[in-house]
Amino acid sequence: MSESDHLKSDIDELVPDMVAMRRDLHEHPELAFEEVRTSGIVAQRLRTMGLEVQTGIAKTGVVSLLRGGASKPGAKTIAIRADMDALPIHELNEIDYRSTVNGKMHACGHDGHTSILLAVADILNKRRAELTGNVKFVFQPAEERIGGAKPMIKEGAMQGVDGIIGLHLISDYSLDHVGVRAGPLFASADRFILTVKGKGGHAAIMPERSVDPIVISAYIVTALQTLISRETSPFSPAVITIGKIQAGTAFNIIPESAEMDGTLRAFSAEHRSKLVRRIGEVAKGIATAMGGSCEAEVIDGCPPCVNDTKMTEIVRKAAIAAVGEKAVDDSEEVMSTGSDDMACFLEAVPGCYFIVGAKNEEKGAHYPHHHPRFNIDEDALPIGVEVLARAAMDFLK
């Protein structure tokens, strides 16, 4: 039996346990920075393998180190990351492993990511004697709040790491397919709040003596879209959306202020920075021109996920070995305006984040992420394990 066949056979043996782990985590979802049970299970599994384990990283994060038996001084270290948190969503799936916690659900596949990385740790640990470098397993809390990666890095999770890889299961991407491409994969994500201030008064009696912040807000909403249609290249996609507007107390009163809450997505740090600046300039300029004022607050989210060319090639070759060249996609179709704070790890060291298809309509695994009926086809789990394990071993050669 070839080494490739041995790897697939070893992974196949782990599938029942991996599925059971994923379903257990699905039944017991925990929100950002609350992943106490999850991280406890992860740490216990890793210690059972004989690995070095650190807990309490960024509150509930876990970091584990596998030292290769064939490592020499100066040997490389690769990190593999998985996120662990769930979402504040009430699950509507009628399945045996439905969430047991009202209002909380694994609706983005992080239960699968955690199970996959535990299986990868097992696979690589069995090959410890052959590894010429080290592997660091990073189990991250609070991805959904875009808040777990930065504190993990600050607390030393990337210390001594030469490269990083990770994956995301995708429910609207075909099973048995892997998407991997160099450059931007997921967009940046920032929240902005625009507070428009005017002058209140009666809506019908001498409205000219008032400054209507609602009317000003309407002009701002429209004008912000010109930042996409007239100040953004068609080859540099971006999104600006106002998702929430609050103003007024009655139909016949012009209020003193109005507040708009929105999101910005971009695929490069430069474009992101420009749009953040221009949103404030446009909003303030319009408000001033109409006799009011505007305060602009941008709540820093995360940068875009940008894959390193060399790391991407390693993952691409691993994916081809796992599913075949025809099932590996490196086109722009792989890109998403969704965000992921894996981006912070990719800024810290060269790396590659890729997607694994988990769609199967016959099994009901086709609802979008963050949907109360979200689910994945668990046949995607061993594919994720194989690509990560192959890529890690190839990186360390």
Side-chain angles (χ1 to χ4, degrees):
M1 186 182 290
S2 68
E3 173 55 34
S4 178
D5 290 337
H6 273 298
L7 178 60
K8 288 182 179 292
S9 177
D10 287 347
I11 293 172
D12 286 344
E13 289 181 8
L14 293 177
V15 168
D17 181 67
M18 187 168 22
V19 169
M21 172 59 68
R22 183 254 162 171
R23 293 186 177 190
D24 177 77
L25 296 176
H26 193 91
E27 285 186 73
H28 302 91
E30 296 174 303
L31 303 183
F33 294 124
E34 297 176 2
E35 308 93 333
V36 176
R37 180 183 185 275
T38 304
S39 62
I41 291 172
V42 167
Q44 188 273 331
R45 284 289 187 109
L46 296 169
R47 289 192 178 105
T48 300
M49 296 178 200
L51 304 184
E52 301 173 27
V53 178
Q54 290 178 285
T55 59
I57 309 298
K59 295 184 180 179
T60 47
V62 179
V63 175
S64 179
L65 184 64
L66 168 60
R67 298 183 186 274
S71 297
K72 297 179 180 179
K76 293 188 293 185
T77 296
I78 186 169
I80 312 177
R81 173 266 198 178
D83 38 17
M84 301 186 293
D85 57 324
L87 285 154
I89 295 173
H90 185 74
E91 182 163 13
L92 296 181
N93 286 318
E94 297 297 333
I95 51 179
D96 293 340
Y97 52 93
R98 177 178 172 169
S99 171
T100 59
V101 185
N102 287 334
K104 297 180 183 181
M105 176 191 176
H106 271 293
C108 202
H110 297 187
D111 48 351
H113 302 167
T114 301
S115 304
I116 285 171
L117 189 50
L118 284 173
V120 173
D122 194 321
I123 290 292
L124 295 180
N125 190 43
K126 289 176 180 176
R127 291 160 172 75
R128 182 196 296 250
E130 310 159 21
L131 296 179
T132 56
N134 310 310
V135 185
K136 185 175 281 191
F137 304 101
V138 179
F139 292 85
Q140 180 203 316
E143 186 281 324
E144 296 295 357
R145 274 180 46 180
I146 314 180
K150 287 182 180 179
M152 288 202 84
I153 294 168
K154 186 176 181 180
E155 294 178 32
M158 290 295 97
Q159 186 172 352
V161 172
D162 300 290
I164 188 167
I165 54 177
L167 61 77
H168 206 303
L169 298 168
I170 301 294
S171 64
D172 62 354
Y173 192 64
S174 298
L175 183 69
D176 296 329
H177 284 67
V178 176
V180 53
R181 72 188 309 271
L185 180 75
F186 288 175
S188 62
D190 295 293
R191 176 188 176 190
F192 59 90
I193 301 172
L194 304 176
T195 303
V196 178
K197 295 183 178 181
K199 183 180 179 182
H202 197 288
I205 301 172
M206 293 180 287
E208 73 279 5
R209 294 189 180 183
S210 300
V211 176
D212 193 336
I214 295 179
V215 173
I216 295 173
S217 296
Y219 276 90
I220 291 173
V221 170
T222 302
L224 289 180
Q225 295 310 310
T226 66
L227 298 181
I228 303 300
S229 66
R230 289 298 176 267
E231 295 191 24
T232 293
S233 166
F235 303 103
S236 299
V239 175
I240 296 174
T241 296
I242 299 292
K244 180 181 177 183
I245 299 178
Q246 286 185 312
T249 57
F251 76 97
N252 61 347
I253 298 173
I254 293 174
E256 288 283 316
S257 65
E259 183 176 282
M260 293 177 283
D261 209 339
T263 186
L264 163 66
R265 307 295 169 104
F267 283 99
S268 74
E270 296 77 17
H271 196 194
R272 175 194 186 197
S273 178
K274 175 190 173 183
L275 288 174
V276 166
R277 173 177 56 82
R278 289 293 290 139
I279 286 171
E281 290 174 349
V282 168
K284 291 176 183 179
I286 289 173
T288 300
M290 298 182 71
S293 64
C294 180
E295 296 175 358
E297 177 188 6
V298 177
I299 300 171
D300 185 38
C302 72
C305 283
V306 181
N307 287 334
D308 175 77
T309 301
K310 291 182 179 179
M311 293 296 293
T312 300
E313 183 59 20
I314 291 171
V315 172
R316 190 184 74 84
K317 289 180 178 178
I320 290 173
V323 298
E325 190 166 6
K326 290 184 178 180
V328 178
D329 185 8
D330 64 355
S331 73
E332 290 186 355
E333 295 297 319
V334 176
M335 298 171 66
S336 169
T337 47
S339 64
D340 194 302
D341 66 0
M342 174 69 175
C344 300
F345 293 114
L346 295 173
E347 282 193 332
V349 296
C352 178
Y353 201 42
F354 61 98
I355 65 173
V356 174
K359 178 181 180 179
N360 188 329
E361 293 197 24
E362 292 181 1
K363 295 182 180 180
H366 60 92
Y367 290 94
H369 291 246
H370 296 208
H371 189 282
R373 295 192 184 277
F374 170 88
N375 208 346
I376 59 169
D377 186 334
E378 292 164 333
D379 288 343
L381 302 180
I383 295 172
V385 173
E386 184 173 355
V387 178
L388 288 173
R390 286 185 183 280
M393 290 187 290
D394 290 346
F395 177 85
L396 296 176
K397 287 180 180 178

